[in-house]
mmCIF file of all heavy atoms in Angstrom:
data_model
loop_
_atom_site.group_PDB
_atom_site.id
_atom_site.type_symbol
_atom_site.label_atom_id
_atom_site.label_comp_id
_atom_site.label_asym_id
_atom_site.label_seq_id
_atom_site.Cartn_x
_atom_site.Cartn_y
_atom_site.Cartn_z
ATOM 1 N N THR A 1 -1.546 -3.358 20.919
ATOM 2 C CA THR A 1 -2.648 -2.721 21.621
ATOM 3 C C THR A 1 -3.419 -1.808 20.690
ATOM 4 O O THR A 1 -4.665 -1.819 20.639
ATOM 5 C CB THR A 1 -2.147 -1.977 22.848
ATOM 6 O OG1 THR A 1 -1.431 -2.886 23.696
ATOM 7 C CG2 THR A 1 -3.276 -1.321 23.623
ATOM 8 N N VAL A 2 -2.710 -0.968 19.926
ATOM 9 C CA VAL A 2 -3.366 -0.053 18.993
ATOM 10 C C VAL A 2 -4.116 -0.844 17.943
ATOM 11 O O VAL A 2 -5.253 -0.488 17.569
ATOM 12 C CB VAL A 2 -2.322 0.887 18.343
ATOM 13 C CG1 VAL A 2 -2.886 1.603 17.133
ATOM 14 C CG2 VAL A 2 -1.805 1.863 19.336
ATOM 15 N N ASP A 3 -3.550 -1.928 17.464
ATOM 16 C CA ASP A 3 -4.232 -2.733 16.420
ATOM 17 C C ASP A 3 -5.483 -3.427 16.984
ATOM 18 O O ASP A 3 -6.474 -3.589 16.262
ATOM 19 C CB ASP A 3 -3.286 -3.716 15.777
ATOM 20 C CG ASP A 3 -2.389 -3.043 14.744
ATOM 21 O OD1 ASP A 3 -2.569 -1.840 14.500
ATOM 22 O OD2 ASP A 3 -1.528 -3.744 14.163
ATOM 23 N N VAL A 4 -5.472 -3.801 18.258
ATOM 24 C CA VAL A 4 -6.702 -4.334 18.881
ATOM 25 C C VAL A 4 -7.765 -3.268 18.899
ATOM 26 O O VAL A 4 -8.929 -3.509 18.549
ATOM 27 C CB VAL A 4 -6.424 -4.875 20.296
ATOM 28 C CG1 VAL A 4 -7.709 -5.121 21.041
ATOM 29 C CG2 VAL A 4 -5.622 -6.158 20.224
ATOM 30 N N ILE A 5 -7.400 -2.052 19.236
ATOM 31 C CA ILE A 5 -8.353 -0.940 19.281
ATOM 32 C C ILE A 5 -8.901 -0.677 17.889
ATOM 33 O O ILE A 5 -10.104 -0.522 17.691
ATOM 34 C CB ILE A 5 -7.677 0.343 19.850
ATOM 35 C CG1 ILE A 5 -7.350 0.130 21.340
ATOM 36 C CG2 ILE A 5 -8.552 1.577 19.645
ATOM 37 C CD1 ILE A 5 -6.416 1.182 21.915
ATOM 38 N N LEU A 6 -8.020 -0.616 16.913
ATOM 39 C CA LEU A 6 -8.462 -0.377 15.524
ATOM 40 C C LEU A 6 -9.370 -1.485 15.015
ATOM 41 O O LEU A 6 -10.375 -1.234 14.321
ATOM 42 C CB LEU A 6 -7.256 -0.206 14.590
ATOM 43 C CG LEU A 6 -6.478 1.096 14.760
ATOM 44 C CD1 LEU A 6 -5.156 1.031 14.020
ATOM 45 C CD2 LEU A 6 -7.331 2.281 14.295
ATOM 46 N N ALA A 7 -9.061 -2.721 15.385
ATOM 47 C CA ALA A 7 -9.880 -3.847 14.960
ATOM 48 C C ALA A 7 -11.271 -3.749 15.611
ATOM 49 O O ALA A 7 -12.267 -3.977 14.931
ATOM 50 C CB ALA A 7 -9.218 -5.171 15.365
ATOM 51 N N TRP A 8 -11.338 -3.358 16.887
ATOM 52 C CA TRP A 8 -12.613 -3.176 17.544
ATOM 53 C C TRP A 8 -13.423 -2.082 16.862
ATOM 54 O O TRP A 8 -14.629 -2.227 16.603
ATOM 55 C CB TRP A 8 -12.451 -2.854 19.029
ATOM 56 C CG TRP A 8 -12.390 -4.033 19.929
ATOM 57 C CD1 TRP A 8 -11.328 -4.411 20.678
ATOM 58 C CD2 TRP A 8 -13.403 -5.002 20.158
ATOM 59 N NE1 TRP A 8 -11.625 -5.567 21.343
ATOM 60 C CE2 TRP A 8 -12.893 -5.941 21.056
ATOM 61 C CE3 TRP A 8 -14.710 -5.187 19.681
ATOM 62 C CZ2 TRP A 8 -13.619 -7.044 21.507
ATOM 63 C CZ3 TRP A 8 -15.433 -6.262 20.134
ATOM 64 C CH2 TRP A 8 -14.888 -7.192 21.033
ATOM 65 N N LEU A 9 -12.790 -0.941 16.607
ATOM 66 C CA LEU A 9 -13.464 0.181 15.949
ATOM 67 C C LEU A 9 -13.986 -0.249 14.569
ATOM 68 O O LEU A 9 -15.139 0.049 14.226
ATOM 69 C CB LEU A 9 -12.537 1.377 15.810
ATOM 70 C CG LEU A 9 -12.187 2.098 17.107
ATOM 71 C CD1 LEU A 9 -11.060 3.123 16.854
ATOM 72 C CD2 LEU A 9 -13.421 2.814 17.648
ATOM 73 N N ALA A 10 -13.168 -0.963 13.821
ATOM 74 C CA ALA A 10 -13.584 -1.414 12.495
ATOM 75 C C ALA A 10 -14.714 -2.424 12.565
ATOM 76 O O ALA A 10 -15.623 -2.432 11.727
ATOM 77 C CB ALA A 10 -12.383 -2.023 11.756
ATOM 78 N N ALA A 11 -14.683 -3.262 13.582
ATOM 79 C CA ALA A 11 -15.728 -4.301 13.752
ATOM 80 C C ALA A 11 -17.055 -3.679 14.192
ATOM 81 O O ALA A 11 -18.130 -4.184 13.811
ATOM 82 C CB ALA A 11 -15.266 -5.359 14.725
ATOM 83 N N GLU A 12 -16.986 -2.630 14.955
ATOM 84 C CA GLU A 12 -18.191 -2.080 15.580
ATOM 85 C C GLU A 12 -18.821 -0.923 14.812
ATOM 86 O O GLU A 12 -20.000 -0.615 14.982
ATOM 87 C CB GLU A 12 -17.885 -1.595 16.998
ATOM 88 C CG GLU A 12 -17.467 -2.690 17.951
ATOM 89 C CD GLU A 12 -18.620 -3.614 18.321
ATOM 90 O OE1 GLU A 12 -19.747 -3.131 18.408
ATOM 91 O OE2 GLU A 12 -18.361 -4.805 18.526
ATOM 92 N N ASP A 13 -18.065 -0.242 13.943
ATOM 93 C CA ASP A 13 -18.511 0.970 13.334
ATOM 94 C C ASP A 13 -18.098 1.022 11.857
ATOM 95 O O ASP A 13 -16.924 1.072 11.577
ATOM 96 C CB ASP A 13 -17.946 2.165 14.118
ATOM 97 C CG ASP A 13 -18.407 3.520 13.597
ATOM 98 O OD1 ASP A 13 -18.699 3.670 12.391
ATOM 99 O OD2 ASP A 13 -18.389 4.464 14.404
ATOM 100 N N ARG A 14 -19.091 0.969 10.985
ATOM 101 C CA ARG A 14 -18.776 0.963 9.523
ATOM 102 C C ARG A 14 -18.016 2.212 9.096
ATOM 103 O O ARG A 14 -17.108 2.130 8.266
ATOM 104 C CB ARG A 14 -20.052 0.837 8.714
ATOM 105 C CG ARG A 14 -20.613 -0.546 8.698
ATOM 106 C CD ARG A 14 -21.720 -0.647 7.678
ATOM 107 N NE ARG A 14 -22.265 -2.008 7.711
ATOM 108 C CZ ARG A 14 -23.501 -2.312 7.373
ATOM 109 N NH1 ARG A 14 -24.317 -1.377 6.972
ATOM 110 N NH2 ARG A 14 -23.913 -3.554 7.428
ATOM 111 N N GLY A 15 -18.409 3.346 9.638
ATOM 112 C CA GLY A 15 -17.714 4.599 9.301
ATOM 113 C C GLY A 15 -16.267 4.562 9.742
ATOM 114 O O GLY A 15 -15.370 4.984 8.992
ATOM 115 N N ALA A 16 -16.013 4.042 10.929
ATOM 116 C CA ALA A 16 -14.637 3.963 11.430
ATOM 117 C C ALA A 16 -13.849 2.944 10.608
ATOM 118 O O ALA A 16 -12.683 3.181 10.297
ATOM 119 C CB ALA A 16 -14.638 3.526 12.898
ATOM 120 N N LYS A 17 -14.512 1.870 10.184
ATOM 121 C CA LYS A 17 -13.825 0.885 9.338
ATOM 122 C C LYS A 17 -13.424 1.514 8.012
ATOM 123 O O LYS A 17 -12.283 1.353 7.551
ATOM 124 C CB LYS A 17 -14.723 -0.313 9.102
ATOM 125 C CG LYS A 17 -14.058 -1.413 8.283
ATOM 126 C CD LYS A 17 -14.945 -2.647 8.160
ATOM 127 C CE LYS A 17 -14.268 -3.746 7.403
ATOM 128 N NZ LYS A 17 -15.071 -4.981 7.364
ATOM 129 N N LYS A 18 -14.378 2.233 7.386
ATOM 130 C CA LYS A 18 -14.097 2.890 6.108
ATOM 131 C C LYS A 18 -12.927 3.856 6.242
ATOM 132 O O LYS A 18 -12.001 3.876 5.418
ATOM 133 C CB LYS A 18 -15.341 3.585 5.590
ATOM 134 C CG LYS A 18 -15.187 4.244 4.262
ATOM 135 C CD LYS A 18 -16.461 4.924 3.809
ATOM 136 C CE LYS A 18 -16.211 5.603 2.501
ATOM 137 N NZ LYS A 18 -17.251 6.542 2.123
ATOM 138 N N ARG A 19 -12.960 4.681 7.280
ATOM 139 C CA ARG A 19 -11.916 5.675 7.535
ATOM 140 C C ARG A 19 -10.564 4.983 7.779
ATOM 141 O O ARG A 19 -9.534 5.427 7.294
ATOM 142 C CB ARG A 19 -12.296 6.575 8.690
ATOM 143 C CG ARG A 19 -11.336 7.700 8.915
ATOM 144 C CD ARG A 19 -11.481 8.791 7.855
ATOM 145 N NE ARG A 19 -10.609 9.885 8.176
ATOM 146 C CZ ARG A 19 -9.791 10.466 7.307
ATOM 147 N NH1 ARG A 19 -9.773 10.102 6.055
ATOM 148 N NH2 ARG A 19 -9.047 11.459 7.673
ATOM 149 N N THR A 20 -10.598 3.916 8.549
ATOM 150 C CA THR A 20 -9.380 3.151 8.832
ATOM 151 C C THR A 20 -8.793 2.602 7.552
ATOM 152 O O THR A 20 -7.546 2.718 7.314
ATOM 153 C CB THR A 20 -9.679 2.024 9.845
ATOM 154 O OG1 THR A 20 -10.141 2.634 11.077
ATOM 155 C CG2 THR A 20 -8.433 1.205 10.129
ATOM 156 N N ILE A 21 -9.626 2.021 6.695
ATOM 157 C CA ILE A 21 -9.147 1.470 5.427
ATOM 158 C C ILE A 21 -8.536 2.579 4.560
ATOM 159 O O ILE A 21 -7.450 2.381 3.980
ATOM 160 C CB ILE A 21 -10.313 0.760 4.695
ATOM 161 C CG1 ILE A 21 -10.674 -0.511 5.440
ATOM 162 C CG2 ILE A 21 -9.914 0.458 3.251
ATOM 163 C CD1 ILE A 21 -11.959 -1.172 4.978
ATOM 164 N N GLU A 22 -9.179 3.737 4.517
ATOM 165 C CA GLU A 22 -8.661 4.852 3.717
ATOM 166 C C GLU A 22 -7.301 5.322 4.220
ATOM 167 O O GLU A 22 -6.377 5.547 3.448
ATOM 168 C CB GLU A 22 -9.650 6.044 3.766
ATOM 169 C CG GLU A 22 -10.925 5.788 3.017
ATOM 170 C CD GLU A 22 -11.978 6.872 3.306
ATOM 171 O OE1 GLU A 22 -11.724 7.781 4.130
ATOM 172 O OE2 GLU A 22 -13.082 6.764 2.724
ATOM 173 N N LEU A 23 -7.193 5.474 5.532
ATOM 174 C CA LEU A 23 -5.917 5.975 6.124
ATOM 175 C C LEU A 23 -4.782 4.951 5.999
ATOM 176 O O LEU A 23 -3.646 5.304 5.777
ATOM 177 C CB LEU A 23 -6.160 6.388 7.572
ATOM 178 C CG LEU A 23 -7.030 7.626 7.757
ATOM 179 C CD1 LEU A 23 -7.402 7.828 9.222
ATOM 180 C CD2 LEU A 23 -6.376 8.878 7.182
ATOM 181 N N LEU A 24 -5.145 3.669 6.152
ATOM 182 C CA LEU A 24 -4.141 2.625 5.969
ATOM 183 C C LEU A 24 -3.640 2.622 4.540
ATOM 184 O O LEU A 24 -2.440 2.461 4.253
ATOM 185 C CB LEU A 24 -4.694 1.272 6.338
ATOM 186 C CG LEU A 24 -4.840 0.970 7.842
ATOM 187 C CD1 LEU A 24 -5.681 -0.314 8.025
ATOM 188 C CD2 LEU A 24 -3.503 0.819 8.521
ATOM 189 N N ALA A 25 -4.543 2.823 3.598
ATOM 190 C CA ALA A 25 -4.178 2.779 2.168
ATOM 191 C C ALA A 25 -3.190 3.855 1.802
ATOM 192 O O ALA A 25 -2.362 3.704 0.910
ATOM 193 C CB ALA A 25 -5.436 2.896 1.305
ATOM 194 N N GLN A 26 -3.256 4.978 2.524
ATOM 195 C CA GLN A 26 -2.303 6.073 2.271
ATOM 196 C C GLN A 26 -0.863 5.635 2.518
ATOM 197 O O GLN A 26 0.065 6.242 2.004
ATOM 198 C CB GLN A 26 -2.628 7.294 3.132
ATOM 199 C CG GLN A 26 -3.920 7.981 2.739
ATOM 200 C CD GLN A 26 -4.264 9.115 3.697
ATOM 201 O OE1 GLN A 26 -3.539 9.455 4.619
ATOM 202 N NE2 GLN A 26 -5.440 9.716 3.454
ATOM 203 N N ARG A 27 -0.669 4.625 3.326
ATOM 204 C CA ARG A 27 0.668 4.106 3.624
ATOM 205 C C ARG A 27 0.879 2.702 3.026
ATOM 206 O O ARG A 27 1.682 1.956 3.535
ATOM 207 C CB ARG A 27 0.898 4.100 5.129
ATOM 208 C CG ARG A 27 0.941 5.499 5.727
ATOM 209 C CD ARG A 27 1.219 5.443 7.192
ATOM 210 N NE ARG A 27 2.361 4.668 7.547
ATOM 211 C CZ ARG A 27 3.567 5.161 7.850
ATOM 212 N NH1 ARG A 27 3.773 6.428 7.838
ATOM 213 N NH2 ARG A 27 4.565 4.355 8.180
ATOM 214 N N ASP A 28 0.098 2.398 1.999
ATOM 215 C CA ASP A 28 0.175 1.076 1.360
ATOM 216 C C ASP A 28 -0.011 -0.053 2.363
ATOM 217 O O ASP A 28 0.660 -1.078 2.299
ATOM 218 C CB ASP A 28 1.490 0.890 0.604
ATOM 219 C CG ASP A 28 1.585 1.805 -0.621
ATOM 220 O OD1 ASP A 28 0.533 2.068 -1.231
ATOM 221 O OD2 ASP A 28 2.695 2.277 -0.931
ATOM 222 N N GLU A 29 -0.946 0.158 3.288
ATOM 223 C CA GLU A 29 -1.291 -0.871 4.261
ATOM 224 C C GLU A 29 -2.778 -1.159 4.136
ATOM 225 O O GLU A 29 -3.499 -0.444 3.420
ATOM 226 C CB GLU A 29 -0.966 -0.411 5.677
ATOM 227 C CG GLU A 29 0.505 -0.229 5.957
ATOM 228 C CD GLU A 29 0.799 0.224 7.370
ATOM 229 O OE1 GLU A 29 0.055 1.076 7.919
ATOM 230 O OE2 GLU A 29 1.750 -0.259 7.957
ATOM 231 N N SER A 30 -3.233 -2.203 4.812
ATOM 232 C CA SER A 30 -4.640 -2.553 4.788
ATOM 233 C C SER A 30 -5.007 -3.202 6.107
ATOM 234 O O SER A 30 -4.162 -3.358 7.019
ATOM 235 C CB SER A 30 -4.908 -3.511 3.638
ATOM 236 O OG SER A 30 -4.347 -4.800 3.925
ATOM 237 N N LEU A 31 -6.259 -3.599 6.230
ATOM 238 C CA LEU A 31 -6.691 -4.301 7.413
ATOM 239 C C LEU A 31 -5.922 -5.612 7.599
ATOM 240 O O LEU A 31 -5.802 -6.125 8.705
ATOM 241 C CB LEU A 31 -8.199 -4.581 7.374
ATOM 242 C CG LEU A 31 -9.107 -3.371 7.522
ATOM 243 C CD1 LEU A 31 -10.582 -3.773 7.366
ATOM 244 C CD2 LEU A 31 -8.867 -2.661 8.837
ATOM 245 N N LYS A 32 -5.354 -6.147 6.523
ATOM 246 C CA LYS A 32 -4.545 -7.371 6.624
ATOM 247 C C LYS A 32 -3.331 -7.153 7.496
ATOM 248 O O LYS A 32 -2.871 -8.049 8.177
ATOM 249 C CB LYS A 32 -4.104 -7.822 5.217
ATOM 250 C CG LYS A 32 -5.241 -8.379 4.378
ATOM 251 C CD LYS A 32 -4.731 -8.788 3.007
ATOM 252 C CE LYS A 32 -5.903 -9.259 2.165
ATOM 253 N NZ LYS A 32 -5.505 -9.593 0.806
ATOM 254 N N ASP A 33 -2.785 -5.924 7.513
ATOM 255 C CA ASP A 33 -1.647 -5.619 8.377
ATOM 256 C C ASP A 33 -2.053 -5.640 9.839
ATOM 257 O O ASP A 33 -1.313 -6.136 10.689
ATOM 258 C CB ASP A 33 -1.036 -4.252 7.988
ATOM 259 C CG ASP A 33 -0.443 -4.272 6.605
ATOM 260 O OD1 ASP A 33 0.596 -4.957 6.406
ATOM 261 O OD2 ASP A 33 -1.009 -3.645 5.697
ATOM 262 N N ILE A 34 -3.237 -5.125 10.107
ATOM 263 C CA ILE A 34 -3.744 -5.178 11.501
ATOM 264 C C ILE A 34 -4.022 -6.634 11.856
ATOM 265 O O ILE A 34 -3.685 -7.089 12.952
ATOM 266 C CB ILE A 34 -5.023 -4.297 11.616
ATOM 267 C CG1 ILE A 34 -4.616 -2.841 11.509
ATOM 268 C CG2 ILE A 34 -5.748 -4.591 12.931
ATOM 269 C CD1 ILE A 34 -5.755 -1.870 11.473
ATOM 270 N N ARG A 35 -4.635 -7.355 10.946
ATOM 271 C CA ARG A 35 -4.943 -8.789 11.162
ATOM 272 C C ARG A 35 -3.656 -9.570 11.465
ATOM 273 O O ARG A 35 -3.589 -10.401 12.369
ATOM 274 C CB ARG A 35 -5.648 -9.351 9.943
ATOM 275 C CG ARG A 35 -6.231 -10.701 10.103
ATOM 276 C CD ARG A 35 -7.081 -11.022 8.848
ATOM 277 N NE ARG A 35 -7.940 -12.149 9.125
ATOM 278 C CZ ARG A 35 -7.597 -13.405 8.871
ATOM 279 N NH1 ARG A 35 -6.434 -13.673 8.324
ATOM 280 N NH2 ARG A 35 -8.433 -14.387 9.133
ATOM 281 N N LYS A 36 -2.586 -9.256 10.717
ATOM 282 C CA LYS A 36 -1.299 -9.932 10.913
ATOM 283 C C LYS A 36 -0.752 -9.695 12.320
ATOM 284 O O LYS A 36 -0.278 -10.620 12.988
ATOM 285 C CB LYS A 36 -0.291 -9.444 9.874
ATOM 286 C CG LYS A 36 1.077 -10.101 9.967
ATOM 287 C CD LYS A 36 1.982 -9.583 8.853
ATOM 288 C CE LYS A 36 3.369 -10.144 8.957
ATOM 289 N NZ LYS A 36 4.180 -9.587 10.025
ATOM 290 N N THR A 37 -0.906 -8.472 12.818
ATOM 291 C CA THR A 37 -0.457 -8.147 14.162
ATOM 292 C C THR A 37 -1.269 -8.917 15.182
ATOM 293 O O THR A 37 -0.715 -9.456 16.162
ATOM 294 C CB THR A 37 -0.598 -6.635 14.443
ATOM 295 O OG1 THR A 37 0.148 -5.909 13.465
ATOM 296 C CG2 THR A 37 -0.082 -6.284 15.828
ATOM 297 N N LEU A 38 -2.589 -9.040 14.966
ATOM 298 C CA LEU A 38 -3.441 -9.784 15.907
ATOM 299 C C LEU A 38 -3.092 -11.269 15.907
ATOM 300 O O LEU A 38 -3.031 -11.886 16.975
ATOM 301 C CB LEU A 38 -4.912 -9.599 15.544
ATOM 302 C CG LEU A 38 -5.458 -8.160 15.583
ATOM 303 C CD1 LEU A 38 -6.914 -8.129 15.135
ATOM 304 C CD2 LEU A 38 -5.284 -7.537 16.924
ATOM 305 N N ILE A 39 -2.801 -11.800 14.715
ATOM 306 C CA ILE A 39 -2.428 -13.222 14.635
ATOM 307 C C ILE A 39 -1.100 -13.451 15.366
ATOM 308 O O ILE A 39 -0.944 -14.427 16.091
ATOM 309 C CB ILE A 39 -2.342 -13.698 13.155
ATOM 310 C CG1 ILE A 39 -3.777 -13.717 12.571
ATOM 311 C CG2 ILE A 39 -1.661 -15.034 13.028
ATOM 312 C CD1 ILE A 39 -3.812 -13.893 11.052
ATOM 313 N N ASP A 40 -0.156 -12.549 15.160
ATOM 314 C CA ASP A 40 1.130 -12.647 15.836
ATOM 315 C C ASP A 40 0.941 -12.615 17.356
ATOM 316 O O ASP A 40 1.555 -13.378 18.087
ATOM 317 C CB ASP A 40 2.046 -11.477 15.382
ATOM 318 C CG ASP A 40 3.435 -11.556 15.947
ATOM 319 O OD1 ASP A 40 4.025 -12.638 15.962
ATOM 320 O OD2 ASP A 40 3.944 -10.485 16.411
ATOM 321 N N GLN A 41 0.067 -11.746 17.829
ATOM 322 C CA GLN A 41 -0.194 -11.647 19.250
ATOM 323 C C GLN A 41 -0.850 -12.941 19.742
ATOM 324 O O GLN A 41 -0.489 -13.480 20.772
ATOM 325 C CB GLN A 41 -1.111 -10.450 19.529
ATOM 326 C CG GLN A 41 -1.372 -10.240 21.013
ATOM 327 C CD GLN A 41 -2.213 -9.008 21.276
ATOM 328 O OE1 GLN A 41 -2.598 -8.282 20.359
ATOM 329 N NE2 GLN A 41 -2.514 -8.772 22.546
ATOM 330 N N LEU A 42 -1.795 -13.472 18.979
ATOM 331 C CA LEU A 42 -2.485 -14.691 19.344
ATOM 332 C C LEU A 42 -1.509 -15.851 19.448
ATOM 333 O O LEU A 42 -1.564 -16.658 20.409
ATOM 334 C CB LEU A 42 -3.582 -15.018 18.323
ATOM 335 C CG LEU A 42 -4.393 -16.293 18.548
ATOM 336 C CD1 LEU A 42 -5.186 -16.203 19.836
ATOM 337 C CD2 LEU A 42 -5.324 -16.499 17.359
ATOM 338 N N GLU A 43 -0.606 -15.960 18.508
ATOM 339 C CA GLU A 43 0.382 -17.053 18.507
ATOM 340 C C GLU A 43 1.342 -16.954 19.684
ATOM 341 O O GLU A 43 1.919 -17.972 20.083
ATOM 342 C CB GLU A 43 1.150 -17.053 17.184
ATOM 343 C CG GLU A 43 0.281 -17.489 16.012
ATOM 344 C CD GLU A 43 0.968 -17.347 14.639
ATOM 345 O OE1 GLU A 43 2.054 -16.726 14.573
ATOM 346 O OE2 GLU A 43 0.385 -17.826 13.678
ATOM 347 N N GLY A 44 1.495 -15.795 20.252
ATOM 348 C CA GLY A 44 2.420 -15.620 21.380
ATOM 349 C C GLY A 44 1.805 -15.886 22.744
ATOM 350 O O GLY A 44 2.478 -15.879 23.739
ATOM 351 N N ILE A 45 0.507 -16.156 22.759
ATOM 352 C CA ILE A 45 -0.170 -16.382 24.042
ATOM 353 C C ILE A 45 -0.035 -17.847 24.463
ATOM 354 O O ILE A 45 -0.218 -18.755 23.669
ATOM 355 C CB ILE A 45 -1.674 -16.061 23.913
ATOM 356 C CG1 ILE A 45 -1.896 -14.580 23.643
ATOM 357 C CG2 ILE A 45 -2.420 -16.456 25.205
ATOM 358 C CD1 ILE A 45 -3.329 -14.215 23.359
ATOM 359 N N GLU A 46 0.368 -18.017 25.697
ATOM 360 C CA GLU A 46 0.399 -19.360 26.265
ATOM 361 C C GLU A 46 -0.870 -19.541 27.093
ATOM 362 O O GLU A 46 -1.012 -18.907 28.141
ATOM 363 C CB GLU A 46 1.661 -19.558 27.094
ATOM 364 C CG GLU A 46 2.936 -19.540 26.278
ATOM 365 C CD GLU A 46 4.152 -19.877 27.092
ATOM 366 O OE1 GLU A 46 4.032 -20.525 28.151
ATOM 367 O OE2 GLU A 46 5.246 -19.451 26.678
ATOM 368 N N VAL A 47 -1.795 -20.346 26.585
ATOM 369 C CA VAL A 47 -3.066 -20.521 27.262
ATOM 370 C C VAL A 47 -2.846 -21.371 28.490
ATOM 371 O O VAL A 47 -2.660 -22.576 28.430
ATOM 372 C CB VAL A 47 -4.130 -21.152 26.333
ATOM 373 C CG1 VAL A 47 -5.432 -21.326 27.045
ATOM 374 C CG2 VAL A 47 -4.290 -20.313 25.065
ATOM 375 N N SER A 48 -2.851 -20.677 29.638
ATOM 376 C CA SER A 48 -2.616 -21.413 30.898
ATOM 377 C C SER A 48 -3.599 -21.013 31.966
ATOM 378 O O SER A 48 -3.722 -21.692 32.985
ATOM 379 C CB SER A 48 -1.199 -21.149 31.396
ATOM 380 O OG SER A 48 -1.005 -19.788 31.595
#
C-alpha cells in the first residue's frame, strides 16, 4: 500500500519523485525496489 502511494506521488510530482529517490538512496534502495513490490502485488492478483 505504501509503495502504491509512493509510486503515485513519484508519477504525479517531479519534486516528490526526486525526494523519494534521494531518501531511498540513503538506504541503498531505489525506485526499482518500489517497482518490485508493485510487480509482486500484480502477480498475486487473480483477475476474476
Side-chain angles (χ1 to χ4, degrees):
T1 303
V2 167
D3 281 357
V4 166
I5 293 166
L6 288 168
W8 271 116
L9 289 169
E12 296 290 327
D13 181 332
R14 284 190 181 153
K17 182 176 183 176
K18 182 180 177 193
R19 185 73 175 133
T20 299
I21 291 169
E22 290 169 357
L23 293 171
L24 285 168
Q26 291 176 4
R27 294 182 51 102
D28 292 326
E29 294 180 320
S30 71
L31 290 178
K32 289 179 183 177
D33 294 291
I34 291 174
R35 191 171 195 268
K36 182 179 177 285
T37 303
L38 300 178
I39 291 169
D40 184 44
Q41 184 178 358
L42 179 63
E43 290 172 350
I45 296 173
E46 294 186 23
V47 180
S48 59

